[in-house]
Amino acid sequence: MAELVYRPVVGLAQTLFKVWDLKIDCQGSENIPRSGGAVLVSNHISYLDFIFDGLAALPQKRLVRFMAKESVFRHKISGPLMRGMKHIPVDRKQGETAYQHALESLRSGEIVGVFPEATISQSFTLKSFKSGAARMAQEAGVPLIPMALWGTQRLWTKGHPRNFKRSHTPISIRVGEQVEASQDQYAGALTRRLRERVQELLEAAQRAYPVRPKGADDTWWMPAHLGGTAPTPEEVRAAEAR
């Protein structure tokens, strides 16, 4: 089937990456299957994460259909693009509809992208994972592909202004080995295992990241446990509860 929207959008994104002079380090793309369905599972630290997750699949000549909140599909600009790229709208009041849509895509051989934290992590650490990704992989009989991003929060994240200047920002992408999702496993246990894999990949990306904050006013993008000034998970939860 022709991809009249997706491929031009990918081309535009790659052009913008060059204009912004991003230093993208992507490792592990070979773990993404060249054919057949799979659930791609990533951490979530930026509004642009789906673009970089999708970028990791391009060497395998795959396009990823992401599950995204329904409001994005109602936007006058992003809506037509999201629908044209066959992404999957998620209405949290009618989650079963999105779940069945994702299952159909997986069974037809598509890769579906999921952010199991559901929202951007403002602490830049992993939040708890919802079990939907594991359950749909089990039901569709496809593997889970763990991956982690680091550096994307420096471009555009919740609570901070966009930074699309030509700033040579490094972006680290790590894709792990497939996690089999057999139906005889408990979805909760599989989800915990999947989160552990993503955590390992995230820590590897952080260790390999080539730059550190330039000064005291540039520590916002580093998590507190690594010496940064991003809020701790506890502080984020407290703020959300107010």
Side-chain angles (χ1 to χ4, degrees):
M1 184 179 296
E3 295 288 348
L4 300 180
V5 177
Y6 209 136
R7 295 195 187 281
V9 170
V10 168
L12 175 60
Q14 291 175 317
T15 298
L16 290 175
F17 295 160
K18 292 180 180 179
V19 171
W20 297 340
D21 195 31
L22 301 183
K23 307 301 182 184
I24 299 174
D25 173 23
C26 181
Q27 298 182 22
S29 289
E30 67 276 6
N31 291 315
I32 296 174
R34 283 190 172 272
S35 62
V39 180
L40 190 66
V41 176
S42 173
N43 67 320
H44 199 11
I45 54 176
S46 166
Y47 292 114
L48 303 178
D49 287 340
F50 73 98
I51 298 175
F52 293 99
D53 284 338
L55 183 68
L58 294 182
Q60 298 294 84
K61 303 185 185 304
R62 301 302 303 273
L63 300 176
V64 183
R65 316 299 176 180
F66 287 93
M67 300 185 75
K69 59 184 180 181
E70 194 267 342
S71 60
V72 177
F73 291 77
R74 295 198 306 267
H75 190 275
K76 63 181 180 180
I77 296 176
S78 64
L81 293 176
M82 295 294 282
R83 290 189 292 272
M85 290 186 281
K86 305 181 183 68
H87 294 312
I88 302 169
V90 179
D91 183 342
R92 293 179 181 175
K93 296 180 180 179
Q94 298 178 334
E96 185 61 25
T97 300
Y99 185 86
Q100 292 301 322
H101 187 168
L103 280 180
E104 291 173 8
S105 295
L106 291 169
R107 288 167 174 160
S108 67
E110 299 276 14
I111 295 179
V112 172
V114 177
F115 296 107
E117 297 168 280
T119 60
I120 289 175
S121 171
Q122 292 179 267
S123 68
F124 308 133
T125 62
L126 282 190
K127 301 170 67 175
S128 61
F129 277 21
K130 297 185 181 300
S131 64
R135 290 187 291 107
M136 71 172 64
Q138 288 177 309
E139 193 167 344
V142 301
L144 293 148
I145 312 295
M147 68 179 299
L149 302 170
W150 190 245
T152 59
Q153 75 274 29
R154 298 178 66 196
L155 299 176
W156 190 15
T157 192
K158 191 173 183 178
H160 294 274
R162 296 187 295 267
N163 177 21
F164 296 158
K165 299 177 182 177
R166 186 177 172 84
S167 57
H168 323 294
T169 302
I171 303 295
S172 295
I173 306 171
R174 297 291 182 271
V175 185
E177 295 181 356
Q178 297 182 18
V179 176
E180 295 304 318
S182 59
Q183 293 188 357
D184 60 355
Q185 298 181 73
Y186 174 55
L190 180 57
T191 298
R192 288 191 293 272
R193 181 183 170 202
L194 182 64
R195 186 181 182 281
E196 290 172 358
R197 290 284 185 89
V198 175
Q199 180 65 40
E200 292 169 358
L201 292 167
L202 177 58
E203 291 176 0
Q206 291 170 335
R207 286 194 300 269
Y209 200 67
V211 301
R212 292 293 180 267
K214 298 176 182 177
D217 60 347
D218 187 43
T219 58
W220 65 268
W221 56 271
M222 289 287 283
H225 75 276
L226 293 180
T229 54
T232 65
E234 294 75 19
E235 290 171 337
V236 173
R237 286 194 292 269
E240 291 174 343
R242 291 172 189 163

